[in-house]
Amino acid sequence: MSNVSKVLEQLSQMQSGEHSILICPDLISLRKIYSHCSKIWIEEKNEIVLLLLANHESVMSIINYLKEIDFDVKKYRKSESLIMISTEKFFGSPGAFLSFLDIIEKQVKRKSKNGISIISDMGSLNHLSNIKEIIDCEIFVTRTSDIKPASLLCGYNVRDFNMLTEDQKEILFEQHHRKLIAKDVSC
């Protein structure tokens, strides 16, 4: 296990095309990590950041959290360097997600960006049907080898993750290049 600072250090080394998993102790840790990653990836790496939010998060709550770390949300949303979308409202299938990535890839080239980093809050795993859909989506994305120039970070809550069977956990871990576990929210 590592603290948030070590997780951020690992994430700064993510390469284009990587599909990684992050298990956080709570929503606060996940917010802290994706906020800092967004700031670094946009301001230092010249990338587009796509935040895929689960149904328990509102775009406004994320905007407020990003503002707390002196991130110019308005500027980066206007320049389309920061895109925030509720996944459950926007994507009906993994294929729709990949089609959306094609559109974003064109934006990356048009705006002379170095790539796109996608951070997805995988949401609650409370419902068995949801677990199967999430695992199917993770497998689909992994089998799709053309996610470059994107890097994809899938965030899970440890409480929800621990509800999975050992087989389900193993399947999820197999789908990801990096396996990161955040222990606390200290930076």
Side-chain angles (χ1 to χ4, degrees):
M1 290 213 175
S2 66
N3 67 25
V4 171
S5 297
K6 290 180 183 173
V7 169
L8 288 169
E9 185 179 314
Q10 284 288 313
L11 292 174
S12 70
Q13 299 170 17
M14 275 180 65
Q15 300 294 315
S16 180
E18 273 192 48
H19 180 199
S20 301
I21 188 170
L22 170 65
I23 301 170
C24 288
D26 51 39
L27 186 56
I28 292 168
S29 300
L30 181 59
R31 280 182 183 161
K32 185 171 219 155
I33 290 169
Y34 68 62
S35 295
H36 283 85
C37 284
S38 296
K39 185 174 175 105
I40 291 166
W41 290 337
I42 289 172
E43 294 178 353
E44 295 176 20
K45 290 188 164 188
N46 189 36
E47 293 183 348
I48 292 174
V49 170
L50 172 60
L51 292 177
L52 301 176
L53 309 173
N55 63 350
H56 61 265
E57 287 277 40
S58 73
V59 170
M60 191 49 72
S61 69
I62 302 309
I63 288 171
N64 291 333
Y65 198 81
L66 287 166
K67 285 179 180 179
E68 287 178 19
I69 64 165
D70 296 323
F71 185 80
D72 193 343
V73 177
K74 186 175 182 177
K75 171 184 170 183
Y76 293 121
R77 287 186 80 190
K78 185 175 181 178
S79 70
E80 298 176 334
S81 293
L82 175 65
I83 303 166
M84 295 183 278
I85 297 173
S86 173
T87 55
E88 293 180 8
K89 293 177 183 171
F90 195 81
F91 300 113
S93 69
F97 172 69
L98 292 175
S99 295
F100 181 74
L101 281 183
D102 288 339
I103 294 168
I104 297 296
E105 183 177 356
K106 290 175 184 155
Q107 285 284 86
V108 167
K109 290 176 183 171
R110 188 174 61 81
K111 294 183 173 282
S112 299
K113 297 290 185 177
N114 293 328
I116 178 168
S117 290
I118 303 160
I119 304 169
S120 180
D121 177 351
M122 298 307 287
S124 176
L125 301 177
N126 294 338
H127 308 289
L128 288 176
S129 63
N130 195 21
I131 292 169
K132 182 176 177 354
E133 289 173 18
I134 287 172
I135 290 173
D136 288 348
C137 183
E138 293 278 23
I139 291 169
F140 181 84
V141 169
T142 299
R143 288 186 181 151
T144 306
S145 60
D146 61 350
I147 65 168
K148 288 184 179 182
S151 59
L152 176 59
L153 176 63
C154 302
Y156 289 88
N157 183 300
V158 71
R159 184 191 72 236
D160 292 338
F161 193 79
N162 286 336
M163 292 173 40
L164 300 174
T165 66
E166 290 305 312
D167 287 343
Q168 290 169 327
K169 289 177 189 178
E170 186 176 324
I171 290 168
L172 282 179
F173 277 135
E174 288 173 357
Q175 306 313 309
H176 296 89
H177 295 100
R178 291 181 196 264
K179 293 98 176 145
L180 303 167
I181 300 173
K183 184 171 117 179
D184 60 40
V185 293
S186 64
C187 274

